[in-house]
């Protein structure tokens, strides 16, 4: 296990605080730091009572629980385990007979701009009908179902229908390869796949059903008995007789009423496989009761969602963000949400801002990667700058997926939020199920680049390798010292790996290890994530967080649009810093590239210190990203080491850039 860096307090994070705007504070559920502190004290003084009260007031139980937390088999914690509920009923049925019943649940905007709306009552009918179709295929409580779908209302319906009958879904991102799909089918022991003939992205038809066929053909998928195919486009696809059915065929004659199946609170709602690692996929298993509670509660606390809000999370349902803040959280909260099929740069890079204006979005939640790419686009073409659209409907902004560098934060705050919208810079993981460290829009003074403070009930801390607390101002490893309801329950079929990965014996076996380095500010105790522990570089005995070097590079605002940093072995220093840089102008070469590389090294030395100067700087038109916008750092590590690329690159948005990044300066 590697320790996190001893971090120099970054000069990039402005000392200036940004207090919550009056619009966010007025009427907020948590409207002051005093209210936040009171909730934290309640959780500290009466831990189980605090969570029991939250569960009783935020979740509809078909059988009330009498036991809040079972710690008899640490770290396999159980929450509310003698209670029963249904996740779909908590998202849909509970709204019937209320003012929410005829409210718009989803505003779907397709890749081509076509808009479809569906109310809660209509959504319940369609989920129930699809649940009946699943039952007609022999799928029942406890079965696992793979969902390999485009972003569409039908994807949310498929997930909700599985939950309605007690089947455990495992959503696979629609950009993953046949091999990745096969591995997940085998590991989950799935009995069915729900997919589409094609998906539309950036004006292009991309196959899904063909990839399912290829994955199954790789072998070991004998558990699959049914493949249901949503006909997203008019283009025909292969259909296997006796196994495959179109949605229309499966739904034919099915009732639009289906009673939700009660399940135990610890029943696996879903398995979500983490991506990008080598070896066997890691199936993160989440419960029904605890997960649903936190999805609802964080919608209320982090986003302060209100009846009149239009919420838009841009994440794909193939990721945990799309699970919690598209498929479950907004529906459990009775919110109107936007679901988007396309990409932020098609047909132009102002698409996000255009959609905010069009749908009067009030809460906007996206990734720093997307923000940085749109900054670059706006800098090169004024026509796609946010100022060209009316964004006055916005009330709250959010970021997710990685730490946001302060410069991107400030651009987002000024140009998208008009210096009026709080930014909730949310830190969480697939394993945490929902936000764990984040500002509260009505209460928390904001600092660019900091996710600020843990939510009430989340006992986060920064420790060394032995689990000992580290003083504020010094870097260490982020942990959560007490269990919480939405935490990962285990790794599917691999409990030993679960314990080793998240509850290491060196820390006593009871503390959740997040795998991220962090530092807390000396004044307010605000958290700042410095990068993954395994991304920490040891250069001549000095520990450096990759995120810090990346932030320094991007702070060169006249030159750099985006940067990613990895380490490579070095005979002299042990490890060398390797930076991959996208400039705001074209990709340089030759003497120009050497000159810019020297300028950037001097800049990093000035911002952090000479020890952090990159030894290698590589320029590309883009960074290697999946189609969801995630930087594929494993590829960057291979490039930095001069290794041949043998990993799966099927999810890369632009494979051609790998060759560009081969030249080091």
């Amino acid at each position: 296990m590697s320790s996190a860096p001893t971090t120099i307090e970054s000069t990039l994070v402005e000392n200036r605080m940004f207090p919550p705007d009056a619009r966010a504070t007025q009427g907020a559920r948590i409207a002051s730091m005093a209210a936040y502190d009171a909730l934290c004290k309640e959780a500290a003084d009466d831990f189980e009572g605090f969570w029991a009260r939250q569960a009783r007031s935020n979740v509809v139980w078909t059988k009330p629980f009498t036991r809040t937390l079972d710690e008899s088999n640490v770290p396999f914690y159980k929450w509310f385990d003698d209670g029963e509920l249904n996740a779909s009923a908590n998202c849909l049925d509970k709204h019937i007979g209320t003012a929410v019943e005829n409210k718009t649940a989803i505003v779907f905007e397709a890749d081509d701009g076509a808009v479809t709306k569906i109310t809660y009552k209509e959504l319940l009918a369609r989920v129930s009908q699809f649940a009946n179709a699943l039952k007609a295929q022999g799928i029942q409580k406890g079965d696992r179902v793979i969902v390999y779908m485009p972003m569409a209302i039908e994807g949310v319906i498929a997930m909700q229908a599985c939950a309605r009958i007690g089947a455990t879904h495992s959503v696979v991102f629609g950009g993953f390869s046949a091999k990745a799909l096969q591995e997940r089918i085998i590991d989950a022991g799935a009995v069915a796949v729900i997919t589409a003939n094609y998906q539309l992205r950036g004006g292009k038809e991309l196959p899904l059903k063909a990839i399912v066929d290829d994955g199954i053909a790789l072998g070991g998928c004998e558990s699959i008995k049914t493949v249901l195919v949503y006909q997203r486009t008019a283009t025909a696809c292969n259909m296997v007789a006796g196994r495959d059915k179109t949605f229309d065929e499966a739904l034919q004659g099915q009732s639009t009423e289906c009673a939700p199946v009660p399940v135990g609170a610890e029943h696996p709602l879903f398995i979500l496989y983490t991506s990008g690692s080598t070896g066997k996929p890691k199936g993160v298993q989440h419960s029904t009761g605890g997960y649903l509670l936190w999805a609802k509660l964080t919608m209320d606390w982090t986003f302060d969602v209100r009846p009149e809000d239009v919420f838009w999370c841009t994440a794909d349902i193939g990721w945990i963000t799309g699970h919690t803040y598209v498929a479950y959280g907004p529906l459990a909260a009775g919110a109107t949400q936007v679901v988007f099929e396309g990409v932020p740069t098609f047909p132009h890079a102002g698409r996000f801002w255009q959609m905010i204006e069009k749908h009067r979005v009030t809460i906007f939640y996206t990734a720093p990667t997307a923000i940085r790419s749109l900054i670059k686009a706006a800098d090169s073409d004024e026509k796609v700058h946010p100022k060209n659209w009316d964004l006055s409907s916005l009330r709250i902004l959010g970021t997710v997926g990685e730490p946001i560098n302060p410069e991107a934060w400030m651009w987002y705050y000024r140009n998208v939020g008009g210096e009026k919208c709080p930014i909730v810079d949310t830190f969480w993981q697939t394993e945490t199920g929902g936000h764990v460290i984040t500002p509260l829009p009505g209460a928390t003074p904001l600092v660019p680049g900091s996710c600020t403070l843990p939510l009430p009930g989340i006992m986060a801390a920064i420790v060394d390798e032995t689990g000992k607390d580290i003083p504020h101002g010094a870097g260490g490893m982020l942990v959560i010292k007490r269990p919480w309801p939405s935490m990962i329950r285990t790794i599917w079929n691999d409990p030993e790996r679960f314990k080793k990965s998240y509850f290491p014996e060196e820390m006593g076996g009871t503390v959740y290890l997040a795998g991220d380095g962090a530092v807390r500010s000396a004044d307010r105790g605000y958290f700042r994530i410095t990068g993954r522990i395994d991304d920490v570089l040891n250069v001549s005995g000095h520990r450096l967080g990759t995120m810090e070097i990346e932030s320094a590079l991007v702070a060169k605002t006249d030159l750099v649009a985006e940067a990613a940093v990895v380490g490579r072995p070095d005979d002299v220093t042990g490890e060398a810093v390797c930076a991959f840089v996208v400039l705001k102008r074209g990709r340089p070469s030759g003497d120009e590239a050497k000159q810019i590389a020297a300028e950037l090294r001097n800049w990093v030395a000035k911002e952090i210190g000479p020890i952090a100067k990159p030894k290698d700087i590589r320029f590309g038109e883009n960074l290697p990203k999946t189609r969801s916008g995630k930087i594929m750092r494993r590829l960057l590590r291979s490039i930095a080491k001069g290794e041949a690329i043998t990993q799966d690159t099927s999810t890369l948005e632009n494979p051609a850039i790998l060759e560009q990044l081969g030249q080091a300066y």
Side-chain angles (χ1 to χ4, degrees), residues 19 43 67 100 127 160 210 227 263 271 346 404 447 512 550 567 569 592 599 609 626 657:
R67 185 169 50 237
V100 177
V127 167
Q160 285 280 337
V227 177
V263 298
I271 306 162
F346 177 83
I404 182 169
V447 170
Y512 172 81
E550 290 170 8
E592 182 190 19
E599 184 179 350
T626 65
I657 60 172

Side-chain angles (χ1 to χ4, degrees), residues 294-550:
W294 203 228
K296 165 65 166 61
L297 206 49
T298 49
M299 286 296 299
D300 290 347
W301 285 353
T302 308
F303 298 118
D304 189 40
V305 69
R306 302 175 186 182
E308 66 275 14
D309 276 319
V310 177
F311 176 82
W312 183 18
C313 169
T314 66
D316 192 283
I317 56 170
W319 309 116
I320 188 63
T321 305
H323 280 53
T324 310
Y325 301 111
V326 176
Y328 289 106
L331 299 178
T336 294
Q337 68 169 318
V338 174
V339 172
F340 176 48
E341 178 180 42
V343 295
T345 52
F346 177 83
H348 55 78
R351 181 75 182 266
F352 275 4
W353 324 131
Q354 183 183 54
M355 286 180 61
I356 290 169
E357 177 185 88
K358 180 178 180 180
H359 302 299
R360 306 307 294 159
V361 171
T362 60
I363 304 171
F364 181 62
Y365 191 39
T366 196
T369 296
I371 295 166
R372 287 193 295 267
S373 69
L374 296 176
I375 292 172
K376 182 183 178 186
D379 284 347
S380 61
D381 182 0
E382 276 227 347
K383 293 196 297 292
V384 297
H385 193 282
K387 68 185 178 184
N388 295 301
W389 286 272
D390 177 6
L391 307 183
S392 61
S393 62
L394 288 169
R395 188 169 68 83
I396 294 169
L397 301 175
T399 66
V400 59
E402 59 181 307
I404 182 169
N405 56 292
E407 290 65 38
W409 192 102
M410 287 301 306
W411 185 92
Y412 193 33
Y413 183 72
R414 288 170 177 153
N415 294 286
V416 181
E419 300 191 22
K420 295 178 181 177
C421 299
I423 297 176
V424 289
D425 174 3
T426 61
F427 171 78
W428 61 297
Q429 304 169 307
T430 301
E431 294 86 350
T432 69
H435 309 144
V436 287
I437 307 176
T438 177
L440 297 171
T444 315
L446 307 171
V447 170
S450 170
C451 52
T452 70
L453 295 167
L455 286 171
I458 302 296
M459 309 303 183
I462 299 175
V463 302
D464 62 18
E465 292 99 326
T466 65
K468 183 182 176 183
D469 285 335
I470 283 177
H472 291 188
M477 290 181 283
L478 180 64
V479 299
I480 301 177
K481 292 190 170 185
R482 292 282 314 202
W484 69 100
S486 70
M487 67 189 294
I488 178 178
R489 291 306 193 260
T490 188
I491 293 173
W492 183 260
N493 285 335
D494 202 343
E496 287 305 311
R497 187 179 181 190
F498 166 71
K499 289 196 289 186
K500 185 177 178 182
S501 297
Y502 302 110
F503 293 89
E505 289 183 8
E506 303 96 296
M507 292 185 177
T510 62
V511 172
Y512 172 81
L513 177 65
D516 283 283
V519 63
R520 299 189 74 170
S521 62
D523 51 357
R524 289 178 173 253
Y526 276 14
F527 285 78
R528 186 162 54 84
I529 308 301
T530 55
R532 295 292 296 172
I533 291 170
D534 53 10
D535 282 345
V536 171
L537 310 182
N538 189 333
V539 182
S540 299
H542 296 266
R543 296 189 182 277
L544 302 168
T546 56
M547 180 62 199
E548 212 156 30
I549 303 171
E550 290 170 8

